[in-house]
Amino acid sequence: MNIFRKKDASKNRTGMRRHLKLVDLILLGIGAMVGTGIFTVTGIGAATYAGPALIVSIVISALCVSICALFYAEFASRVPANGGAYSYIYAVLGEFPAWMAGWLTIMEFMTAVSGVASGWASYLKGLLSSFGLQLPTALNGTFDPQMGTYIDILPILVVFFVTGVVLLNSKAALRFNSALVVLKFSALALFILVGLFHLRPENWSDFAPFGFGQIYGGQTGIMAGASLMFFAFLGFESISMSVDEIKEPQKNVPRGIVLSLSIVTILYILVTLVLTGLVHYTKLNVPDAVAFSLRSIGLDWAANYVSIVAILTLITVCITMTYALSRMIYSVARDGLLPKSFKKLTATSRVPQNATILVGVVAAICAGIFPLASIASFLNICTLAYLIMLAFAILKLRKDKGQPKAGEFKTPLVPLTPILSIVICLSFMTQYTWDTWLAFGIALVLGILIYFGYGYRHSEIEAREK
């Protein structure tokens, strides 16, 4: 049994059409990263983890994500394959590590769609309550019989809507996404500009109330805030999962990742700075933090605009995540590690139909049953685990194939940057509770069982060897 057999998926041809340009990729990345993190998690992070010093947490998270993005950029230019980290690791470390990276990516994006849908529902509920409207209790929260809630119906409905959009041809889905990204920027620009005239610098006086925290094993402080805000940047890797539909992927994927990540980092810092300047951090533990802060200073009109835009545009994150994950599942199924039915493309629009439907159904169930805090921690730890694998893979790539050639992207300071990435990711992982680690352990065991029970025997490599 050879579980480390390798496959360079960049040499595979697929039935997808190359039509995405650099602008499409930047908007795809921004659409994925600017969502629940900026509208919801910034408030929760300031209130319970780091106070106004959350902006330092954001910088630390951005540093970690930026290093990982450099690895993605080099792999995208040297091994331009659909499937992101899964395909890169397949070509360098072998099949079983690739499967585990792919499985963890599936877990990440599946729960990310659920988390964003939950954030969307929180803003809609906040807007409805301002008009005195409320859903029946049984349908208005995740499963908690003691509170009388059994299912959160609104996130389920939005996931089904998003699934329908992604089942359209990808160009139409991403055009819809791009329009909503522009609308999202208008709301955040309004919040920043209006907020600048209502700042109360005394709210920043207790800048780091929880301290720096611990590099390993902390539960509060700047480092714990950084582990939470890592959630904010998830989605940048969706760009590399769309390689088969990108024009000049070796040039445009690295550019798309770096530019979208830079824009988003600046935006998160500005929003968090204004947010904690408008309202004391102790009051921000609410699911609609940006709108809440505007209402707290009497700007109901601005709060309602932000809420309406958030309701419309958080959908963009669901779209980009669902879009990327369906392509990820398609890639894995194409390699035989998941059932062949998931690599089926629609006849006209060439979209992976069954993979998209699977994403929609599972994400809807998770969004309707599990609370946002649990979803965010679980998807973070899954992501950190496969990013550690990617750091090892970049070291192996350099060892096996040497330095990048002329015209290929080169990650600077190797091996220092991969080692630094591993240290930071491990630090973030130790900030989570035992409940999160238990869920992570169960996910790992399930992934291992699927590989040895199905994937190894049905792998395309296994079929060729027979």
Side-chain angles (χ1 to χ4, degrees):
M1 176 178 280
N2 180 16
I3 63 173
F4 297 104
R5 51 198 179 185
K6 299 176 183 178
K7 177 180 178 181
D8 187 349
S10 65
K11 297 174 182 176
N12 287 358
R13 298 187 59 145
T14 73
M16 296 187 183
R17 296 173 183 146
R18 293 193 183 277
H19 59 84
L20 302 181
K21 300 177 182 177
L22 179 60
V23 174
D24 297 313
L25 300 188
I26 294 172
L27 291 173
L28 178 65
I30 293 173
M33 288 184 277
V34 179
T36 302
I38 204 163
F39 285 107
T40 299
V41 178
T42 46
I44 296 171
T48 61
Y49 285 84
L54 190 70
I55 62 170
V56 182
S57 301
I58 291 169
V59 172
I60 294 171
S61 284
L63 171 64
C64 178
V65 174
S66 297
I67 294 171
C68 298
L70 295 175
F71 306 155
Y72 268 95
E74 179 166 332
F75 270 114
S77 78
R78 301 185 73 181
V79 189
N82 212 30
Y86 159 77
S87 294
Y88 304 152
I89 292 173
Y90 211 152
V92 176
L93 297 181
E95 186 172 88
F96 178 64
W99 160 255
M100 292 308 298
W103 175 249
L104 291 171
T105 305
I106 291 170
M107 293 293 100
E108 173 207 348
F109 275 70
M110 198 81 75
T111 48
V113 174
S114 304
V116 174
S118 296
W120 173 87
S122 297
Y123 267 84
L124 181 55
K125 290 172 187 175
L127 183 64
L128 292 175
S129 64
S130 69
F131 293 101
L133 300 173
Q134 195 167 359
L135 291 171
T137 302
L139 303 176
N140 200 29
T142 54
F143 187 75
D144 189 352
Q146 291 183 342
M147 298 296 294
T149 59
Y150 292 89
I151 193 166
D152 203 355
I153 193 66
L154 289 178
I156 292 175
L157 294 177
V158 76
V159 171
F160 284 150
F161 168 75
V162 165
T163 304
V165 171
V166 177
L167 282 171
L168 300 172
N169 70 74
S170 57
K171 195 166 187 176
L174 293 182
R175 278 179 179 171
F176 180 62
N177 172 72
S178 298
L180 292 181
V181 167
V182 172
L183 189 61
K184 189 188 315 188
F185 265 99
S186 73
L188 293 174
L190 173 68
F191 171 71
I192 293 168
L193 291 173
V194 170
L196 288 174
F197 293 98
H198 295 82
L199 292 177
R200 298 176 62 189
E202 60 268 26
N203 286 335
W204 296 325
S205 59
D206 190 8
F207 185 73
F210 301 96
F212 185 78
Q214 297 173 270
I215 293 179
Y216 288 96
Q219 299 297 319
T220 59
I222 290 171
M223 284 303 297
S227 71
L228 176 72
M229 292 312 297
F230 191 78
F231 173 85
F233 296 98
L234 300 183
F236 75 91
E237 61 267 55
S238 61
I239 294 173
S240 67
M241 293 181 190
S242 311
V243 164
D244 288 341
E245 297 169 274
I246 297 171
K247 293 181 177 179
E248 298 185 273
Q250 289 177 298
K251 293 182 179 179
N252 286 333
V253 171
R255 291 172 183 170
I257 290 174
V258 172
L259 289 173
S260 61
L261 192 57
S262 301
I263 293 168
V264 168
T265 301
I266 294 169
L267 194 58
Y268 265 90
I269 290 172
L270 289 174
V271 167
T272 303
L273 201 60
V274 172
L275 186 65
T276 53
L278 289 179
V279 180
H280 197 265
Y281 73 91
T282 55
K283 300 177 182 178
L284 289 173
N285 191 16
V286 293
D288 56 345
V290 174
F292 169 81
S293 66
L294 291 171
R295 289 194 182 98
S296 69
I297 58 172
L299 297 177
D300 287 355
W301 64 271
N304 288 338
Y305 178 74
V306 168
S307 292
I308 292 169
V309 171
I311 289 164
L312 291 174
T313 61
L314 281 177
I315 293 173
T316 63
V317 187
C318 287
I319 289 172
T320 52
M321 293 286 190
T322 302
Y323 170 85
L325 181 53
S326 62
R327 272 66 182 171
M328 171 78 203
I329 293 173
Y330 165 82
S331 297
V332 178
R334 191 180 61 194
D335 293 333
L337 303 182
L338 284 175
K340 293 180 180 179
S341 59
F342 293 126
K343 69 175 184 179
K344 179 182 178 182
L345 299 175
T346 56
T348 53
S349 56
R350 314 303 293 168
V351 170
Q353 177 180 308
N354 293 339
T356 304
I357 292 171
L358 174 70
V359 173
V361 171
V362 177
I365 293 171
C366 291
I369 296 175
F370 300 112
L372 177 60
S374 300
I375 290 171
S377 296
F378 176 73
L379 74 91
N380 279 357
I381 201 169
C382 288
T383 308
L384 290 163
Y386 79 71
L387 289 179
I388 289 173
M389 297 173 67
L390 192 67
F392 279 111
I394 200 76
L395 292 170
K396 189 70 162 57
L397 178 69
R398 289 291 184 89
K399 181 182 178 182
D400 292 349
K401 298 188 178 182
Q403 298 288 323
K405 298 175 183 177
E408 295 178 338
F409 185 89
K410 181 181 180 181
T411 302
L413 301 176
V414 174
L416 179 61
T417 43
I419 293 170
L420 181 61
S421 177
I422 292 168
V423 170
I424 296 174
C425 287
L426 285 173
S427 171
F428 286 177
M429 290 178 77
T430 64
Q431 310 289 326
Y432 299 116
T433 63
W434 283 109
D435 290 346
T436 302
W437 275 95
L438 177 61
F440 176 62
I442 292 171
L444 286 180
V445 171
L446 187 57
I448 291 169
L449 291 175
I450 292 173
Y451 176 75
F452 287 104
Y454 179 89
Y456 184 86
R457 291 181 293 109
H458 292 85
S459 168
E460 274 201 353
I461 299 178
E462 176 74 3
R464 285 202 302 268
E465 289 176 351
K466 289 181 179 178

